[in-house]
Amino acid sequence: MARTRAAVRGRDQELTALRTALAPDGGRLIVLTGPAGIGRTALLDRVARLLAADGARVLPLRLGTGPDGGGDPYALAALVRAVRERFEQLQESGLSEALSAVAQLRDARGRERGGWTPAVVAALDGLFETVGRRERVALLVDDAHAVAEPAPVLSAARRAGCLVVATCEEGAERGPGLAELLTDADRVMTIGPLADDVALSLVRRAAGARLDESVVTALRTALGPLLGNPGTVLGTLDALRRSGRLVTFEGRLCLSDPAEPVALPADHPLLRRASALGGTAVRLLGAVALLDGLDLDALPPLADILEADPVDCGRGLDLLIEAGVLTAGPDGRISCRCPALAATAAGRFRARRGTALHAALAERLLAGHRRSGGVDPVVLADHVARGGATVTLDDDTVRLLLTMGAAAEQEEPERATLWYSAALRRLPPTGPEHARTLCRLLLLVVRTGRYELLREPLTRYAEHGCAEESVDEIRLAAILLALHSGVPPAERAVRELLDAPFPGRGPTAFSEWWFNRRLAPDPRRHPATDGDTLAGAGAGAGAGAGAGVDTQAGAEPRGWAEVTAEAGALAGDGAETPAGGKASVGGGAGAGDRAGAGARNGTAAGDGARGGAGRSDLLSAALCGDVAACERVWRSSGGAAPSPELDRLRQAALVADMADVARLVIGADYRVPETGVLGAYHRVVRGYADADWTRAMSAVRELELSPAEDTLARHAARLLAVDMCAARGEFGQAARWLTAATRAPRLAVLRTWARVGLAARKGDDGQAVRVALLAGPRLRRAGLRTGLSILLSRALRIAVLGDDHEGAAELLAEIELLPHEHHVDAQESLLLARGLVHRDPECAREATDLIRERGDLPALMESCLAVARFAPDPRPWLREAHALATRCGAAALLERVREVTRERGVPAPRARGRRDALAVTEQRIIELIGEGLTNRQIALRLRLSEKTVENYLTRLFARTGCRSRVELAAASLTGRLARTPT
C-alpha cells in the first residue's frame, strides 16, 4: 500500500508531549513508534514546521528511499544527500570539508563493507558540530528501521547538541541496531490510533466530493480496529475509487454495490507481513478468511487439506497472531483482524472455495467421528452445514443435526438455522420429516434474518417437488426471500408460486404487488397432481409446480398457523419440543395445539388468531393495503380497536414498510433486518419520521444502487425522497424522484401526498390543494383509504397557510366523510382539520399531541407552522416548527417559518436548551460541514447569508474549543457536542 500523506489531525496530545520533550537545552533523542500507516511521517512533518517556527534549522532525513538500498547500513549516504540538498541554507564555514570527510568514509565503508570505526565517529561529530555551530539544529529521521544500524548517526547528532526525532515502524523486524536505538533514546513515544471521528473526517476530506453516510458506515464496519489507522482508511478509500466501487449518484459519492464487502488494498502492510512469513502462513490466512474463523479442533484436518505439517501450521498461526494479522478469541477461535482483511485474503482464492474448504473439513471430521468419536459435535455440525450439498450425509448425521438444532434453538438460533438447513438437503422432500423441519426452519429464519438459507429449499422444490402439505410453506419461503432480497427467483416453478393470487384478495398476485409484473413467462393454473407429491423438474415442472397454489375446490390455503403448529412436531409423535411442551403430529393441529405452538414460539396467549391462522390473513391484508380486512381480522383475534398496534400497522401499510408490518403481525419472533431491501427501506421510513433525513436519503440511495429489482419498497422510497428533497429546496431532484416512482395503485395515496407536498414547497399552494381535492374523492371511491386522512390533512394545512379558506372547508368536508371511530390517525386528522378551519387552538393542540405521540415529526413540523397562523401566542409553535425544519434541513419550510414570523410580528424563533447544547441550526451547519460544503454552499442550502454562517461558526469555535471546521464535524460525530432536544 503506497504511503498516503495527509495533514495531522487529532494528534494534539502527541504534539504537546513532543514539545515538552524537546524543550530542554542540549541534545535530545526522541523515537516515535507506531504501526505502518498510523501517520508517523505526517506527525514528523508537523514537528518540522513547529521547530522551524521556533527558529531551529531542520534537517530531514528519509531512510530507505535512496538508491543505496542495503548498501547503506549506517545511513551515511542518506545523511550526505540530505546535507547537500540544504547546503546553501546551512552556509557554515568548514561545512564543505566536514561533509567531504563523511562522504569519503561513506565510500570507503561501501567498498570495504567494514564495521563502525573511530574515524567515522570523529567525522560525524565534526559534521554535526559544524552544522549546529550558530543555531540549534533538529535532525528529523523518518523510517529509522529501514537501515541496519541507525543508532550511531543519531547518537552523534545528539552528542553535538542537536534535537533528534526519529520514527520507526512498530512490528518491524528488530535487529541489534534498532534495539540499540530504542535503548539509547531519551524517550520512546508510541503513536496510537486516531479517534474514529477524526479518521472519518480525514475520509470525508480525501473523498473530494460529498460522501454518502453509507460509505462511512461500510468503512467503519469493514475496518473495525484499523479504522483509526489513517494510512489504512485512506488507502482503502483509494482502492475503492480505483476499483470503480465509488460512484457519484445524486451528487453524493456512494458505494456501487453496498452489499459487496469492502476489502483492504492488496499491498496493505498486514498482507505484506503475512507474505513475509512464508507460504504456509499465506495459505492459513486464506483458510481462516474463507472459513470465517477457525476452531483449533479443525486444525489437524485443515493441515491435511493444505498438505502441510500440523506443527508448522500451529507455528504459522502463532506467527500470524504475533504479527497482528490474526486474533485469538477467549474461546480460542482464530479470526482475521478485521472483515476487510478477510475479504482481501479470501478474494485471492477461486469463487466458492470457502464452501469447498468447509466441505473438505466436514468430510475429514465426519470420518474421524465415525472411526473413534472425539470430534466436537458443534465444530462438526458447523462445517457440515457450511459445506453445501457436496457433503455426504448419512442418517446418523442427519439425526445429529436435527437433535442439535432442536437443542440450540433458544440459545443459539443462528446455528440452529444452519443445522436445520443442512438436514433438509438429505431429507426426502415428500416425507413428513421434511415438512416438519421446513416449518421449523421458516420460524428460525424469521427470528435470525437468514433469508438466504431459503434459496436451497426453493431450488430443491423446483427440481424435485415436495409433499402436497408443504406447498404453502414453500410459497411462504418464496415470498419471504423475495421480500427481503428484492430479487425474483430463477426457477420457473417458484416464480409460478409467486404469480398466484393472494388468498381471498382477488386476482392480485404477490409478484404483481411486489415486482409490479408477473414472473413466469406463461402463468396458468394447473390441476393438482395425483398422490402426495408435486413434480418440479423436467417435463413435470409445468404440470406440478403450481398445484399447491390452486387448492381443491373449497379448500383454504394453509398459512402461518400451520407453519407454527407443525413446527412443534419436529421430534416426532409425542416427542418433547425444545420448550418442553408436547408436539401433536398427524392429521392436523386443533385450536389448543395451535395456541400451544404459538406460545412456544414467542406468541403471547392473548394474541388469539394472530398466533395462528389470523397471522396469514392479517399479513396478506396488510400487504394489499386492505384496511377493512385488517380490522376484521384484528377484531376476530380479540384485538382492541382502536389500539396503538393496529394504528402502527395501518401506518406501516401506508408507506409499504413491510419490515414493520411483519414485526407487528408476526410478533417478537420477527427480527427487523439490518440489510437487504426491507432493511434499507425501513431505515428510510424511520429516518424520515425521526427527522433524520441524512440517514433516510442515504438509505434511499442504497436502495437505488443495490442489485435488487424495482420493488414496491424502492418506489415508495422514491416518493419519500420527493418530499425530503422538495422540503430542502432541491426541486429538480424531487421532480426526478417523482418521475422514477411507479404509478402503481398500491402507492396512489402516497404518490398524491408527495405531489401535494412538492407543489406547496415550490410555492404553488393552490395547485397543491386542487390536486388533493381532485384525488381525495376518487381514492375514497376506489377503496384506497389507507393514509387518505393524512393526505387530506396535509392539503388542509397548506390551504390554511395560503389563506385558502374555501379549499380548507372543502378538505374538512372530505375528512369528515372518512370513518373515524376506530382510526387514531383519522381522529387526529379530524381534530387538526377542525382546529385549523375553526381556528381553535385547543383542538389543534390536542391533534398535535397525537401527531407527536405517533412520532411523525415532519407532520408535526407542518402542523405547528399552520397553527402559528392564528394561535394567540405563536412563539412556541414557531419555535418547534423552526427547530424541526432546521433539524431536517428543510430550507423551504424554514422560509415559511420566517414568513409567518414576520406576519405575526414576533421575534425570530431561537432554539432553547441548556447553555452548552447546540441549537438545531448550528447542528445542521456542522452536518453540512461534514458533507464537505463550503460556507457559501451552506448559506444557500439553509437560506442564510454567508456572513450569518460565519458568525455561527465563530460562536461554535468559542463554545466548543474546536479550532477548525473538520475538528468541529469530527466532535459532532461521536456525540461530544450536545444537541438541543426537540
Side-chain angles (χ1 to χ4, degrees):
M1 184 176 68
R3 170 171 287 172
T4 303
R5 301 292 295 274
V8 173
R9 300 186 188 282
R11 295 297 187 195
D12 292 344
Q13 184 176 353
E14 288 88 346
L15 288 170
T16 301
L18 276 169
R19 280 180 176 274
T20 303
L22 295 172
D25 293 332
R28 299 278 292 171
L29 173 56
I30 311 297
V31 178
L32 305 176
T33 68
I38 200 64
R40 301 188 312 273
T41 301
L43 186 58
L44 200 63
D45 290 344
R46 178 62 173 159
V47 171
R49 290 193 293 273
L50 291 174
L51 290 172
D54 289 341
R57 288 182 176 183
V58 176
L59 184 62
L61 195 59
R62 309 289 185 188
L63 302 186
T65 59
D68 307 279
D72 188 26
Y74 297 105
L76 295 180
L79 175 63
V80 170
R81 282 196 305 274
V83 175
R84 283 175 174 169
E85 288 172 359
R86 284 165 175 75
F87 191 86
E88 293 184 0
Q89 300 172 19
L90 296 173
Q91 293 181 346
E92 291 289 347
S93 62
L95 179 59
S96 178
E97 293 78 4
L99 183 60
S100 297
V102 175
Q104 291 171 4
L105 290 170
R106 183 264 332 255
D107 295 337
R109 297 276 71 74
R111 290 192 301 271
E112 299 170 6
R113 303 290 181 184
W116 195 252
T117 65
V120 176
V121 175
L124 285 173
D125 287 346
L127 175 63
F128 286 118
E129 287 173 1
T130 301
V131 169
R133 183 177 298 153
R134 288 187 303 171
E135 295 176 296
R136 198 176 193 192
V137 172
L139 180 65
L140 305 185
V141 183
D142 200 13
D143 290 343
H145 59 276
V147 296
E149 299 285 347
V153 167
L154 306 191
S155 297
R158 180 178 58 178
R159 283 196 304 273
C162 297
L163 297 175
V164 183
V165 182
T167 72
C168 65
E169 181 179 329
E170 187 178 76
E173 184 176 352
R174 293 196 176 185
L178 187 56
E180 180 185 356
L181 173 65
L182 296 173
T183 302
D184 200 28
D186 295 299
R187 182 169 180 181
V188 177
M189 295 174 54
T190 300
I191 306 175
L194 292 173
D196 286 1
D197 55 350
V198 178
L200 293 175
S201 73
L202 287 175
V203 171
R204 290 187 173 90
R205 187 179 182 86
R210 296 173 66 188
L211 198 64
D212 190 83
E213 285 301 307
S214 63
V215 181
V216 175
T217 301
L219 286 172
R220 188 192 298 273
T221 301
L223 296 179
L226 299 184
L227 183 66
N229 185 300
T232 293
V233 71
L234 295 178
T236 304
L237 182 71
D238 185 58
L240 289 171
R241 193 193 306 275
R242 285 186 283 106
S243 65
R245 290 285 311 280
L246 288 179
V247 297
T248 301
F249 180 76
E250 292 291 341
R252 297 296 184 100
L253 205 58
C254 307
L255 286 172
S256 58
D257 184 357
E260 185 179 344
V262 172
L264 286 181
D267 60 345
H268 189 272
L270 287 180
L271 293 163
R272 293 203 308 266
R273 201 174 295 172
S275 297
L277 295 175
T280 299
V282 172
R283 293 197 300 275
L284 282 169
L285 173 59
V288 172
L290 289 166
L291 296 171
D292 194 22
L294 178 69
D295 293 292
L296 292 180
D297 287 349
L299 184 57
L302 177 61
D304 183 40
I305 295 170
L306 299 179
E307 300 179 349
D309 183 86
V311 175
D312 290 342
C313 286
R315 187 179 301 112
L317 287 177
D318 290 340
L319 291 174
L320 287 168
I321 292 171
E322 183 180 346
V325 179
L326 299 179
T327 61
D331 57 354
R333 185 171 176 81
I334 309 298
S335 305
C336 287
R337 179 82 175 275
C338 66
L341 173 62
T344 305
R348 294 178 173 181
F349 294 84
R350 297 192 308 273
R352 297 185 60 83
R353 182 68 183 272
T355 301
L357 189 56
H358 277 294
L361 279 171
E363 295 290 358
R364 286 164 173 77
L365 290 171
L366 278 171
H369 179 69
R370 290 163 185 154
R371 282 196 307 270
S372 58
V375 176
D376 186 337
V378 173
V379 175
L380 171 62
D382 278 348
H383 288 295
V384 166
R386 297 176 187 272
T390 60
V391 180
T392 303
L393 302 181
D394 56 20
D395 291 342
D396 289 340
T397 306
V398 173
R399 281 194 292 272
L400 174 68
L401 290 170
L402 293 175
T403 302
M404 291 181 63
E409 281 189 32
Q410 300 304 317
E411 298 297 328
E412 296 183 286
E414 294 270 357
R415 273 185 159 143
T417 309
L418 282 172
W419 296 341
Y420 281 139
S421 176
L424 271 179
R425 299 177 194 135
R426 179 66 174 76
L427 294 173
T430 59
E433 194 71 35
H434 184 280
R436 290 193 291 268
T437 304
L438 179 60
C439 291
R440 181 58 69 191
L441 176 65
L442 282 171
L443 289 171
L444 283 168
V445 162
V446 166
R447 283 179 60 193
T448 61
R450 296 294 303 273
Y451 295 96
E452 73 278 3
L453 295 178
L454 298 177
R455 285 194 177 94
E456 191 171 355
L458 292 173
T459 300
R460 294 191 72 217
Y461 161 75
E463 294 173 350
H464 306 293
C466 69
E468 188 172 0
E469 60 267 24
S470 294
V471 173
D472 292 295
E473 285 80 1
I474 290 292
R475 181 170 183 260
L476 179 59
I479 288 175
L480 288 172
L481 182 59
L483 277 174
H484 289 83
S485 70
V487 179
E491 302 84 2
R492 173 174 171 172
V494 183
R495 287 179 173 235
E496 288 179 340
L497 291 178
L498 298 182
D499 282 344
F502 280 113
R505 308 288 165 214
T508 303
F510 171 84
S511 56
E512 293 174 302
W513 173 82
W514 187 238
F515 294 110
N516 202 33
R517 64 185 178 90
R518 285 186 174 269
L519 302 176
D522 184 21
R524 59 186 183 275
R525 298 173 65 86
H526 303 292
T529 58
D530 294 332
D532 61 353
T533 64
L534 296 173
V549 176
D550 300 307
T551 56
Q552 297 175 359
E556 188 69 22
R558 300 185 318 145
W560 192 266
E562 286 72 11
V563 174
T564 307
E566 289 189 13
L570 174 65
D573 278 327
E576 290 284 330
T577 67
K582 290 287 184 179
S584 173
V585 183
D593 297 317
R594 291 176 181 172
R600 284 191 298 271
N601 292 285
T603 305
D607 279 353
R610 277 174 286 148
R615 282 183 171 182
S616 179
D617 289 340
L618 190 57
L619 187 59
S620 66
L623 291 176
C624 294
D626 191 337
V627 179
C630 278
E631 292 189 10
R632 284 196 302 272
V633 176
W634 192 274
R635 287 172 177 276
S636 67
S637 70
S643 72
E645 290 81 8
L646 181 57
D647 291 322
R648 285 199 297 269
L649 180 64
R650 189 182 299 110
Q651 296 302 320
L654 164 64
V655 295
D657 184 5
M658 302 321 303
D660 217 21
V661 167
R663 182 181 60 82
L664 290 164
V665 171
I666 296 172
D669 285 345
Y670 179 76
R671 177 187 291 181
V672 176
E674 297 180 0
T675 58
V677 173
L678 290 197
Y681 182 61
H682 187 66
R683 292 198 301 277
V684 175
V685 175
R686 292 316 318 153
Y688 177 84
D690 294 341
D692 188 353
W693 287 5
T694 298
R695 178 175 64 134
M697 285 303 302
S698 176
V700 172
R701 289 185 284 269
E702 181 181 336
L703 277 172
E704 291 294 318
L705 293 170
S706 72
E709 286 203 3
D710 266 3
T711 60
L712 185 73
R714 182 179 285 180
H715 289 292
R718 289 168 178 167
L719 293 174
L720 290 175
V722 171
D723 198 61
M724 290 184 280
C725 289
R728 287 182 161 181
E730 300 164 356
F731 301 125
Q733 285 193 15
R736 289 193 293 274
W737 286 119
L738 185 62
T739 301
T742 182
R743 296 177 179 272
R746 177 67 179 79
L747 296 176
V749 174
L750 187 61
R751 184 182 182 86
T752 307
W753 171 87
R755 287 180 58 207
V756 167
L758 176 58
R761 307 298 182 245
K762 293 171 71 174
D764 196 344
D765 293 344
Q767 173 66 11
V769 173
R770 286 193 296 274
V771 167
L773 285 173
L774 183 64
R778 292 180 179 179
L779 293 168
R780 176 167 46 80
R781 289 193 295 268
L784 298 172
R785 298 183 177 181
T786 300
L788 186 54
S789 61
I790 293 176
L791 161 64
L792 296 173
S793 180
R794 161 172 269 195
L796 193 145
R797 291 193 295 263
I798 294 168
V800 170
L801 281 171
D803 282 329
D804 184 355
H805 303 294
E806 183 179 345
E810 290 184 52
L811 288 164
L812 172 59
E814 279 294 323
I815 292 173
E816 288 177 331
L817 292 175
L818 299 174
H820 302 95
E821 60 274 15
H822 299 304
H823 294 200
V824 172
D825 56 335
Q827 293 174 5
E828 163 200 306
S829 298
L830 183 60
L831 276 172
L832 183 64
R834 289 173 174 169
L836 294 178
V837 172
H838 302 310
R839 295 181 172 250
D840 183 346
E842 289 307 314
C843 188
R845 186 180 302 280
E846 186 178 352
T848 54
D849 287 343
L850 290 173
I851 298 173
R852 191 177 291 105
E853 184 178 344
R854 181 162 57 87
D856 188 350
L857 297 185
L860 179 63
M861 169 176 59
E862 296 176 3
S863 301
C864 289
L865 185 56
V867 176
R869 288 293 310 278
F870 60 83
D873 183 3
R875 288 174 298 176
W877 299 97
L878 287 170
R879 187 182 302 119
E880 187 164 15
H882 182 274
L884 291 172
T886 307
R887 177 170 166 178
C888 294
L893 283 171
L894 279 170
E895 185 58 34
R896 297 298 291 262
V897 172
R898 296 186 189 103
E899 290 175 4
V900 176
T901 299
R902 290 191 293 268
E903 173 190 315
R904 297 300 308 271
V906 295
R910 297 180 181 273
R912 294 188 302 177
R914 298 186 306 273
R915 182 180 178 84
D916 61 340
L918 292 183
V920 286
T921 300
E922 295 171 331
Q923 184 63 39
R924 182 61 179 152
I925 288 173
I926 294 171
E927 290 173 358
L928 294 175
I929 288 173
E931 294 174 9
L933 272 66
T934 65
N935 287 357
R936 181 181 296 275
Q937 291 169 328
I938 293 172
L940 291 172
R941 180 70 65 85
L942 299 183
R943 298 191 178 185
L944 303 171
S945 70
E946 189 172 356
K947 183 65 176 176
T948 300
V949 174
E950 292 173 356
N951 290 338
Y952 270 117
L953 288 174
T954 300
R955 290 195 297 269
L956 282 168
F957 291 150
R959 284 171 49 201
T960 63
C962 296
R963 291 174 292 182
S964 69
R965 290 158 50 92
V966 172
E967 188 178 350
L968 190 65
S972 177
L973 281 174
T974 54
R976 287 189 276 131
L977 304 181
R979 293 180 64 171
T980 301
T982 56

